[in-house]
Amino acid sequence: MSHMYNLAIIGAGPAGIATAVEGYLQGIRDIVLLEKDENHNSTIRKYYKDNKRVDKDWKGQKIELDGRIYFVDGTKETTLDFFDEILAYHSVELQTHVEVQNIKKMDGYFEIFMPGKSITAKYVVVTIGRMGRPNKPQYKIPPAIKNRVGFTLDGCGEGENILVVGGGDSAIEYAVDLSAENKVTICYRRETFRRANPTNQSDITNAILHKEIEAMLGVDIDHLEDENGKVKVIFNDLEPQIFDRVIYAIGGTTPSAFLANSGIKEQDGKPVHDDNYETNIKGLFVAGDITQESGGSIALGLNHGYAIACYIQQNR
């Protein structure tokens, strides 16, 4: 048998890091964090614009922190620095560029399978975020324009005519950020931006009022076409328009195939768990965005990690 970890955590976002650090502070040793990207908190790195506000009370949710990680409001950069520091100050092994394929319960331990290798652990916590698997439109994107269609701000330049699709916080923040150097239209299938937090609602209202952003509300897209290397957007009830680039910010999905392959039951699009975040498989837990209707709260993820760490320490 390979080396046996006491605790293996899949996903190095806020909930994963909190589980590891709170576990260490509870006296658990030999902890490993497994992350498929090149560093921790890949969702914040990829999907948050530079200097984006990161609030403890996400979308106005007032959450008291239960554990010993003291998180306060900040920016994308200060938040990443904060998690760098708490990882550095505690003995937690972080393995990056490793994508877990599935988890198998053995006799008294778990085997965690990755391409070309596996590791074993007594307890496992899954903290995979929804935004790691961004929602994509139901219609196919023509291959000729795939480099003109994205889900983050990667690849965006200046002086482009850009369509942002979505009506949540990420879509609004993308649109407002891009409007400083580009012509931006935001397309949302609903008539209002009521899903967004108050700050973003104010920002998008002001941008539309001052004609910095054009809004297409109550509008659905039927499909996309290639128009000489640009994106021709075919709407259901409007004339087609041509854009240099289209950015989708329409949320994320639970990785159902991964959960099913690992034997974790789902209900209503979320993994089934008890009050201690333990799934139908004893010793296998879930935490963070994956447990929520809509993810995003760092404070909730930190509390999940603390609760799981306490429960494991009391029962191991």
Side-chain angles (χ1 to χ4, degrees):
M1 186 184 296
S2 63
H3 173 77
M4 176 77 72
Y5 289 95
N6 279 316
L7 175 59
I9 301 155
I10 301 167
I17 294 173
T19 307
V21 171
E22 295 285 7
Y24 180 86
L25 293 172
Q26 289 284 336
I28 302 171
R29 296 295 182 266
D30 222 355
I31 302 170
V32 63
L33 263 172
L34 303 172
E35 171 56 49
K36 70 176 182 179
D37 284 301
E38 63 184 13
N39 210 334
H40 63 81
N41 283 297
S42 61
T43 295
I44 293 176
R45 295 178 195 275
K46 290 181 181 180
Y47 296 95
Y48 286 28
K49 66 181 182 180
D50 291 346
N51 297 312
K52 170 180 162 56
R53 281 180 50 190
V54 180
D55 296 332
K56 181 182 81 69
D57 296 325
W58 186 74
K59 286 190 176 181
Q61 298 180 67
K62 299 292 183 181
I63 298 170
E64 295 299 322
L65 294 173
D66 298 327
R68 284 182 274 184
I69 297 175
Y70 185 68
F71 181 77
V72 296
D73 297 347
T75 65
K76 170 184 176 178
E77 290 76 15
T78 61
T79 299
L80 292 174
D81 288 344
F82 171 78
F83 284 112
D84 276 336
E85 290 174 6
I86 64 171
L87 277 173
Y89 291 153
H90 302 88
S91 296
V92 175
E93 179 184 340
L94 174 61
Q95 293 187 20
T96 58
H97 298 289
V98 289
E99 183 165 7
V100 175
Q101 296 169 316
N102 68 296
I103 307 159
K104 186 176 180 181
K105 179 71 179 284
M106 310 299 280
D107 186 14
Y109 66 95
F110 293 91
E111 187 163 7
I112 302 164
F113 294 90
M114 296 160 280
K117 70 172 185 177
S118 68
I119 65 169
T120 56
K122 295 178 181 177
Y123 295 91
V124 177
V125 184
V126 177
T127 67
I128 300 171
R130 290 173 179 267
M131 286 304 293
R133 294 174 59 89
N135 285 330
K136 297 183 179 180
Q138 294 181 346
Y139 42 85
K140 291 184 178 180
I141 299 170
I145 55 172
K146 280 196 172 179
N147 64 337
R148 292 283 179 172
V149 178
F151 302 89
T152 71
L153 298 185
D154 291 350
C156 294
E158 298 178 3
E160 292 186 317
N161 183 12
I162 300 175
L163 178 69
V164 176
V165 182
D169 289 310
S170 293
I172 291 172
E173 289 163 7
Y174 287 172
V176 171
D177 188 51
L178 289 167
S179 68
E181 303 291 346
N182 301 275
K183 178 183 177 182
V184 175
T185 302
I186 187 167
C187 177
Y188 186 38
R189 60 188 178 87
R190 300 191 185 278
E191 298 287 348
T192 66
F193 296 105
R194 65 177 181 270
R195 286 180 52 228
N197 67 45
T199 299
N200 283 331
Q201 288 188 37
S202 175
D203 288 347
I204 193 66
T205 299
N206 287 333
I208 294 168
L209 181 65
H210 292 95
K211 301 188 184 304
E212 297 165 357
I213 294 174
E214 181 181 345
M216 302 174 69
L217 299 178
V219 174
D220 278 319
I221 296 173
D222 186 83
H223 66 279
L224 306 181
E225 296 179 1
D226 172 29
E227 183 77 13
N228 299 319
K230 294 191 175 184
V231 185
K232 185 175 183 179
V233 181
I234 311 300
F235 300 98
N236 282 341
D237 301 312
L238 298 175
E239 290 297 313
Q241 292 191 33
I242 296 172
F243 297 90
D244 296 312
R245 190 177 303 278
V246 175
I247 305 295
Y248 288 93
I250 51 179
T253 57
T254 300
S256 295
F258 169 78
L259 297 177
N261 289 339
S262 300
I264 299 173
K265 293 181 179 178
E266 276 190 88
Q267 185 175 353
D268 299 326
K270 296 181 294 183
V272 175
H273 61 81
D274 63 14
D275 291 342
N276 299 303
Y277 305 100
E278 191 170 33
T279 69
N280 55 291
I281 302 172
K282 188 172 178 59
L284 179 54
F285 300 79
V286 288
D289 291 0
I290 198 172
T291 69
Q292 305 299 308
E293 291 289 348
S294 59
S297 174
I298 290 177
L300 272 179
L302 299 182
N303 283 352
H304 291 175
Y306 174 71
I308 292 169
C310 290
Y311 181 79
I312 291 174
Q313 174 61 8
Q314 292 166 6
N315 291 276
R316 68 191 181 106

